[in-house]
Amino acid sequence: MKLPLFFQPRDTYERHWVAARWLRAQGAKSVLDVGGEGLLRRFVPGVSCVSVNVCAPAEVLYDGTTLPFADASFDAVVSLDTLEHLPADRRPSFVEELLRVASRLVVLAAPHGSETHRRLEQEALAAYRAQRGEDHPYLREHVEYGLPTAEELQQLCAGHALEMRFCGDCRRQARAFLSTLRPRNGLLERVPVVPDMIAILRHANLGAVPRLDASAAEHSNRAYLFVQK
């Protein structure tokens, strides 16, 4: 049984909620979710939504270079937290593919590449390495490839009508990640379902409405770029 959407991790809930709100406001009827795993569909009931990625559980698999769809195949194309997993020199061609397949709209979201955010992710990766003896795969790519800046996002979609918004606090996100590395002891360790339920309740998004800001702060967690072709 699938958990209600408001029990998704706060960071996951936020980016899907923000994208879905904009898609509904723009009247999108068909959506391609690039780099997703199918979760966006649950945020946009009644909208035709297809997920495509380089690996399962996406509905359509592709080579990570050319999307297997014709030009303007979807009203909207969405890519949430994918750019930071690509080297900077591959990002322009990736975004060109998003724009090619979209007939009207593109939504891009990525961790905001401020100095504070980069430093916190480097520290989080070091803490993970120290405890687990290996790299965290997502954080390693964030640090190796670099987080996109607001200026880079705008440049990637230059020539189109753009809106940019910022959301969240990378300091809170870093604290939440580091809290998962703390060892559990005593009763909580002997009854593992207890800490799991505590984590679910602590991060529940009951009635949550993410706040979007028109300008970035040094501690902004994520940048959103809304593009109209």
Side-chain angles (χ1 to χ4, degrees):
M1 182 179 69
K2 294 180 179 179
L3 285 172
L5 290 177
F6 49 71
F7 283 132
Q8 292 291 329
R10 186 172 291 127
D11 197 53
T12 303
Y13 177 88
E14 173 219 291
R15 60 181 180 262
H16 288 83
W17 187 95
V18 170
R21 186 181 71 166
W22 196 74
L23 294 171
R24 289 193 298 269
Q26 298 296 322
K29 301 299 182 184
S30 60
V31 176
L32 181 65
D33 181 14
V34 181
E37 300 177 346
L39 180 60
L40 182 61
R41 175 185 291 105
R42 297 181 61 197
F43 283 81
V44 287
V47 173
S48 173
C49 186
V50 176
S51 60
V52 58
N53 208 334
V54 295
C55 59
E59 298 164 279
V60 178
L61 301 183
Y62 84 122
D63 62 4
T65 302
T66 303
L67 291 168
F69 304 99
D71 295 359
S73 294
F74 297 85
D75 281 353
V77 176
V78 175
S79 183
L80 306 177
D81 286 24
T82 304
L83 283 176
E84 66 274 17
H85 299 289
L86 297 172
D89 61 357
R90 286 188 54 197
R91 293 171 184 172
S93 60
F94 176 81
V95 173
E96 285 176 7
E97 276 294 283
L98 306 185
L99 291 164
R100 178 184 69 80
V101 174
S103 65
R104 296 198 294 120
L105 313 167
V106 170
V107 183
L108 270 173
H112 178 232
S114 67
E115 289 295 331
T116 295
H117 204 168
R118 287 193 286 269
R119 174 180 56 79
L120 289 172
E121 293 215 328
Q122 291 168 357
E123 292 172 356
L125 178 60
Y128 188 93
R129 284 171 175 165
Q131 185 179 92
R132 306 291 174 85
E134 60 184 4
D135 277 345
H136 186 283
Y138 293 164
L139 280 178
R140 178 186 58 78
E141 292 180 349
H142 289 196
V143 171
E144 180 180 351
Y145 300 145
L147 303 182
T149 64
E151 293 75 19
E152 180 184 358
L153 289 174
Q154 290 177 316
Q155 188 174 18
L156 287 170
C157 296
H160 299 278
L162 308 175
E163 291 182 39
M164 181 166 283
R165 297 291 185 270
F166 302 87
C167 190
D169 188 324
C170 62
R171 298 168 299 183
R172 183 183 68 187
Q173 185 66 20
R175 288 194 297 269
F177 177 81
L178 292 174
S179 72
T180 67
L181 301 180
R182 296 173 184 166
R184 300 194 300 235
N185 299 300
L187 177 62
L188 295 185
E189 182 66 32
R190 293 195 295 273
V191 188
V193 71
V194 173
D196 293 341
M197 288 306 300
I198 290 174
I200 288 173
L201 292 172
R202 185 172 68 244
H203 293 290
N205 297 280
L206 296 169
V209 177
R211 170 184 166 181
L212 293 177
D213 297 314
S215 58
E218 179 62 21
H219 56 267
S220 294
N221 186 54
R222 181 172 286 104
Y224 293 90
L225 192 65
F226 306 111
V227 184
Q228 295 193 8
K229 293 185 66 179

